[in-house]
Amino acid sequence: MKPLRILSDRRIYYAILYTVLVHHKSLYAQHTTGQPTHVLTINLTEALTLAKSNNRNIQKAKLQLGISEELIKEKKEIQLPDIDLHTSYYRMSNLVEYQHSDVTKFYKTIPDIYDITLNAKMPIYMGHKIKYAIQKAEKEHELENIQLEKITNDKQIEVIQTYLGICKLIEFKKLLTENLREEEERLKVVKAFQKNGTVTKEEVLQAELQRSDIQLATISNDRNLAVLSHDLKTLLQIPENDSLTVDSNNAIAPHENLGSIEQYLAFALNKEELRMAQTHTEINLLDRKSVKANYYPTVSFFGTFGFNYPNYMLFLFPPHPYLYSLGRAGIDINYSISNLFKNKTKMSIATQKIQISQVQKDIVKDEIYDNVFRKYMAYQEAQDKIRVTQKAINQAEENYRIIKNKYFNQLALHTDMMDADNALLRTRYNHLSIQIEATAKYYDLLYACGKL
């Protein structure tokens, strides 16, 4: 019996050891491969803050703004002198002079030739071209800055609309959950009535169909909620593995009373698109000044100094086998006569570009004004709808209460109960949708007039 007991103990030991190893391996695999999910709960203000710092489009616009700053430095550096160092080494053959067909004379040269030369040139006057180039670079930097503001506002309104869309689906899910619970309770009552013989099987089937419709609406709502949540994660650059929860408690925010349409139109004069159109016009004006500068001469300071070997400057053979240095400095003036007639076409093109940019500015202004007017009227309409849907909810609730009492007292049909239930759900959803829509329209109005 003792050997059998030892064998049995060993089997138990190996079984326990195997279980521990397998469990340890599974824990290690879970630790190394599984990534913990981070749950993030944000409100609208936090979402907008994350978009400013994380959104790819905003990051790209910031990089473009940095490049425009460097371009200003580049244009200013044109005023600095251009300095270059030149050096060369080569070998030269002897000089052969053919005096007659039968007479040839040889001149021995120094074959090794090298030089080291330093050249410098600095512009003094170019018809103010450098000044206009610097001013144009500054205007382009201003344009990139406005572009950054525009992209930031574009992404912010996109975040707001997506965020409010999620809040709308969350609140609708609450209504569906509440309605589904009531349908479950009503189905139990209908089945109990069927057992007592007071309702038909058709009414039971209608109650089950009503419950199925709400379940289908819940599934569709959950899918739409997942899609919008994914879109919001992309806008905010939140990792896909992280869980995002939206705080929908403050989605329906109180709105300020509307002022006059003239106030919002006055705000719209500072809209990014209008400022960009004005900046484009100013850039075209600078381009025309730069083209006009072609009528003026260019004046530059230059200087050069170098060491050379051997001395061929005397143009004598044999050359002097000595190292020599030579330098010079002066003013270089250049004037293009051909620009007197060629530059007229360039001036005409530059003038027409200015006219086009001015017309484009007026077009943009009209489009902004039309958009502000539409958003203003849409927000007013949403505010009016809120008051109407609130009354509709009160009427639907009272109608549902009356039909429900009649139904449980066998004084109303099940179809009447379904109609009252659907009407109540529809009015609640409409009121909720209009409230969130009013919030969205309010932000749309601020975005349209440049006050987001």
Side-chain angles (χ1 to χ4, degrees):
M1 296 297 296
K2 189 173 182 180
L4 293 176
R5 182 179 179 182
I6 294 175
L7 181 59
S8 177
D9 292 340
R10 286 181 178 178
R11 288 178 177 176
I12 295 174
Y13 170 78
Y14 287 131
I16 295 175
L17 181 61
Y18 176 79
T19 304
V20 171
L21 290 175
V22 170
H23 180 66
H24 177 73
K25 183 178 180 181
S26 62
L27 290 177
Y28 177 77
Q30 182 180 1
H31 177 73
T32 54
T33 60
Q35 296 295 332
T37 302
H38 180 254
V39 179
L40 180 64
T41 303
I42 59 174
N43 54 30
L44 182 56
T45 303
E46 294 170 344
L48 295 176
T49 303
L50 283 175
K52 284 184 178 181
S53 59
N54 295 349
N55 187 265
R56 302 290 192 195
N57 298 88
I58 297 177
Q59 291 177 353
K60 179 183 176 181
K62 289 179 180 179
L63 293 174
Q64 291 291 128
L65 183 63
I67 292 176
S68 64
E69 292 178 356
E70 296 299 322
L71 288 175
I72 296 176
K73 297 178 183 179
E74 180 185 7
K75 298 303 179 183
K76 289 182 178 180
E77 289 172 355
I78 299 177
Q79 304 172 99
L80 301 177
D82 293 328
I83 302 174
D84 62 86
L85 180 66
H86 170 267
T87 181
S88 65
Y89 169 80
Y90 58 93
R91 291 181 63 84
M92 182 182 292
S93 65
N94 292 328
L95 177 64
V96 181
E97 184 181 39
Y98 304 96
Q99 298 180 351
H100 302 286
S101 60
D102 57 346
V103 178
T104 303
K105 192 172 183 179
F106 293 88
Y107 296 92
K108 187 176 181 180
T109 63
I110 300 176
D112 296 315
I113 299 176
Y114 56 86
D115 72 281
I116 300 176
T117 306
L118 184 68
N119 297 307
K121 189 173 184 179
M122 183 177 69
I124 298 176
Y125 176 78
M126 298 179 65
H128 301 296
K129 277 188 175 182
I130 298 178
K131 181 180 73 172
Y132 298 145
I134 295 174
Q135 292 177 356
K136 181 180 178 181
E138 291 173 346
K139 287 297 178 181
E140 289 175 345
H141 173 66
E142 181 180 342
L143 188 64
E144 291 293 340
N145 201 5
I146 300 173
Q147 181 71 16
L148 174 60
E149 293 181 23
K150 182 182 182 304
I151 292 176
T152 302
N153 287 332
D154 291 346
K155 291 304 171 182
Q156 282 190 326
I157 194 64
E158 191 174 348
V159 168
I160 289 172
Q161 299 297 348
T162 307
Y163 184 93
L164 293 178
I166 293 174
C167 293
K168 181 178 178 180
L169 294 177
I170 290 175
E171 295 300 323
F172 186 45
K173 184 177 182 179
K174 293 178 182 178
L175 293 178
L176 290 174
T177 303
E178 180 182 353
N179 193 260
L180 182 61
R181 184 168 57 250
E182 292 180 359
E183 289 294 334
E184 294 285 355
E185 295 176 357
R186 188 180 304 120
L187 182 60
K188 294 179 182 178
V189 174
V190 172
K191 288 181 177 180
F193 285 166
Q194 183 191 20
K195 292 179 180 179
N196 297 330
T198 56
V199 298
T200 63
K201 185 177 180 181
E202 181 182 358
E203 293 183 358
V204 176
L205 293 176
Q206 289 176 349
E208 291 177 345
L209 180 62
Q210 178 79 355
R211 182 188 61 180
S212 299
D213 290 339
I214 297 177
Q215 290 174 341
L216 290 175
T218 302
I219 294 173
S220 178
N221 188 80
D222 290 341
R223 295 297 180 270
N224 294 333
L225 183 60
V227 171
L228 283 183
S229 298
H230 180 271
D231 293 342
L232 186 60
K233 282 183 179 181
T234 303
L235 287 171
L236 306 182
Q237 289 301 307
I238 296 176
E240 189 64 31
N241 293 333
D242 290 352
S243 177
L244 178 63
T245 304
V246 169
D247 183 9
S248 61
N249 295 326
N250 297 323
I252 305 173
H255 315 302
E256 62 182 19
N257 295 326
L258 280 180
S260 62
I261 184 63
E262 287 77 13
Q263 294 178 348
Y264 291 94
L265 293 177
F267 292 150
L269 293 175
N270 198 41
K271 192 75 170 76
E272 294 86 4
E273 289 86 346
L274 195 57
R275 289 157 56 197
M276 291 172 66
Q278 175 62 31
T279 306
H280 277 297
T281 302
E282 295 171 355
I283 290 175
N284 288 331
L285 287 171
L286 290 173
D287 286 337
R288 187 179 185 277
K289 290 181 179 180
S290 181
V291 171
K292 188 178 181 180
N294 292 330
Y295 288 118
Y296 300 98
T298 59
V299 181
S300 303
F301 170 81
F302 75 93
T304 180
F305 183 83
F307 291 93
N308 298 267
Y309 175 87
N311 186 2
Y312 277 93
M313 288 296 294
L314 299 179
F315 301 102
L316 298 175
F317 288 94
H320 294 180
Y322 305 114
L323 177 69
Y324 73 95
S325 63
L326 183 66
R328 56 178 178 167
I331 302 295
D332 179 69
I333 301 175
N334 182 42
Y335 183 78
S336 176
I337 299 177
S338 61
N339 278 338
L340 293 176
F341 54 89
K342 287 184 177 181
N343 209 45
K344 292 182 180 179
T345 305
K346 297 179 181 179
M347 288 290 294
S348 177
I349 295 173
T351 302
Q352 293 181 51
K353 286 184 177 180
I354 294 173
Q355 295 172 352
I356 291 175
S357 62
Q358 290 173 344
V359 174
Q360 180 65 26
K361 178 184 174 182
D362 295 335
I363 294 173
V364 171
K365 184 177 179 181
D366 292 340
E367 291 176 350
I368 291 175
Y369 276 13
D370 292 342
N371 191 34
V372 170
F373 184 79
R374 285 195 296 268
K375 300 301 182 183
Y376 183 86
M377 299 304 295
Y379 180 65
Q380 278 189 332
E381 180 185 357
Q383 291 290 79
D384 295 336
K385 286 182 178 179
I386 289 177
R387 292 186 286 270
V388 175
T389 54
Q390 183 60 58
K391 293 180 181 179
I393 285 181
N394 297 333
Q395 295 169 353
E397 288 178 347
E398 181 64 18
N399 179 65
Y400 178 77
R401 185 186 65 81
I402 294 173
I403 297 298
K404 184 177 181 180
N405 291 333
K406 288 183 177 182
Y407 177 73
F408 285 112
N409 292 317
Q410 301 295 308
L411 298 176
L413 299 176
H414 188 262
T415 54
D416 298 332
M417 189 66 192
M418 290 175 58
D419 292 339
D421 189 20
N422 290 333
L424 179 58
L425 178 63
R426 184 170 59 253
T427 53
R428 283 180 176 178
Y429 177 71
N430 288 339
H431 182 64
L432 173 66
S433 299
I434 291 300
Q435 284 183 309
I436 297 180
E437 181 182 348
T439 304
K441 297 298 183 185
Y442 174 70
Y443 286 116
D444 281 341
L445 178 60
L446 295 182
Y447 171 75
C449 66
K451 296 291 289 182
L452 185 61

